[in-house]
Every structure is written in C-alpha cells, then in structure tokens.
Amino acid sequence: MDWSAYASFLGLATLLVLVPGADFAVVTRNALVGGRSRGWWSAVGVTTSNVVQGAAAAAGLAAVIVAMEPLFQAIRWVGIAYLLWLAVHALRSAVRGEYPASPDEQTAPGQAFAGWRQGFLSNITNPKVLVFYLAVLPQFLGPDAPVGVLLLFALTHAAVGLVYLLALVTGVRQARRWLARRRVRRSLDAVTGLALLGFSVRLAVD
C-alpha cells in the first residue's frame, strides 16, 4: 500500500466530488421536495451506485462493460433518458408552482426509497463513473495492483462523496425557510431542470 499515492488520490477525489454534477442536482432537489430524510437517502443512493461501480472496476467487470460497445451505449442512453425525465419533472414543477408549506411535512410512505432510487439510478447509469475508475485508479496504483487496494481507493471516493452530499443536505435544511418560498422554489426547480437537461445533453454528445 503506497500511502503517498493514497493521499494524492484522496485530494483528487475531493476536488472531483466538489464539482457540481447530476448527483448534486438530484440530491439538492430531493432535499427540497422531501426534506432532510429524502435528501439523505438520495445521497445514500448515489453512494451505493459509486460502491457498485467501484467494486465492478476492482473486479474487472467495468473493463468488460466499457469494451462491449453495445452494452456501454445502452447504459449511457438509459442514463440520458433518466436525466431527461428528471429534468422534465423539475421544469414542470417550476411551471406549475404548486408546493407544500414545508418540505419536511411530506412523510408519505416510500419517500425514503424514492430518494434512494433517484440517487442510485441517476449515478449508476452514468458510464463516466466507470471510465473514471478505469482511467484514474491505474495512474495511482499501476496495472497490477491487488483487488483489495483498488477497492479501497474506490470506496474512498464513494465515502468522500457521501460526506459532501450529506453536508449539502444539511445546508439545504438550514436554509429551508428561505428555500421553501414559492418564488425561490420555482427558481430552483427551473435551474435544477435546466442543469439536468444540460448534463443529459453533455452525456449524449461526449
């Protein structure tokens, strides 16, 4: 185990996590729609997908998926379609402008699973995560690194992402009174919808 390489990877992983992406938009909107619980579960869903993809990369399955062009493209287009669906949902909500008095009042059964599902699906269908693990990990570890070390690095990235997303949900909750205002909610839904639309387009043209 090269701890110097690990520290370098930790720094890179932290920087990459801080760059807003589709996971940022999905978790933020879930925290606004369903409060802290749904936001947290959405963050857990994103992290779960990172763990799955990291484990696949460590086991060599990710390389097989990337090498199989039809399968890789199928995953990519499923991800594009799902991001588009989330974007349309957010934009439609912005147009309608109908919101409950407080996000934390929504306690419908299955809300936790809905948050987890959206976080998981939005990230697991993004092939860029697989490519990230395949392209970046060997730069720090070399091509002959043990599976256990590869998995440790991948789980570190997932853990850093989880900490960041949980902090994001906490920040949204702290500002919930201001964020719950109808005008602010409509603006945030519009921005989130456009952001998700942009991420889907970028994924389609990459």
Side-chain angles (χ1 to χ4, degrees), residues 24-39:
F24 175 91
V26 170
V27 171
T28 299
R29 186 168 191 279
N30 271 292
L32 290 172
V33 170
R36 180 176 59 181
S37 177
R38 180 161 174 164

Side-chain angles (χ1 to χ4, degrees), residues 141-153:
L141 298 172
D144 300 321
V147 172
V149 177
L150 287 169
L151 187 58
L152 173 62
F153 275 58

Side-chain angles (χ1 to χ4, degrees), residues 125-202:
T125 55
N126 185 356
K128 285 186 175 181
V129 180
L130 288 174
V131 174
F132 164 75
Y133 286 130
L134 290 176
V136 173
L137 290 185
Q139 306 300 320
F140 290 89
L141 298 172
D144 300 321
V147 172
V149 177
L150 287 169
L151 187 58
L152 173 62
F153 275 58
L155 292 178
T156 296
H157 175 256
V160 171
L162 178 62
V163 171
Y164 169 70
L165 292 175
L166 292 179
L168 172 64
V169 173
T170 301
V172 170
R173 183 174 182 272
Q174 293 299 321
R176 69 187 184 280
R177 289 186 179 179
W178 179 74
L179 294 173
R181 295 177 181 176
R182 183 171 179 270
R183 181 180 297 178
V184 176
R185 286 290 305 277
R186 293 188 74 178
S187 299
L188 288 173
D189 270 338
V191 171
T192 300
L194 291 174
L196 290 170
L197 183 62
F199 290 133
S200 65
V201 171
R202 188 174 67 179

Side-chain angles (χ1 to χ4, degrees), residues 117-128:
R117 182 190 63 220
Q118 287 195 2
F120 181 82
L121 291 178
S122 66
N123 209 52
I124 198 69
T125 55
N126 185 356
K128 285 186 175 181

Side-chain angles (χ1 to χ4, degrees), residues 93-106:
S93 179
V95 171
R96 290 180 175 178
E98 299 174 356
Y99 302 106
S102 171
D104 289 324
E105 292 177 3
Q106 296 186 22

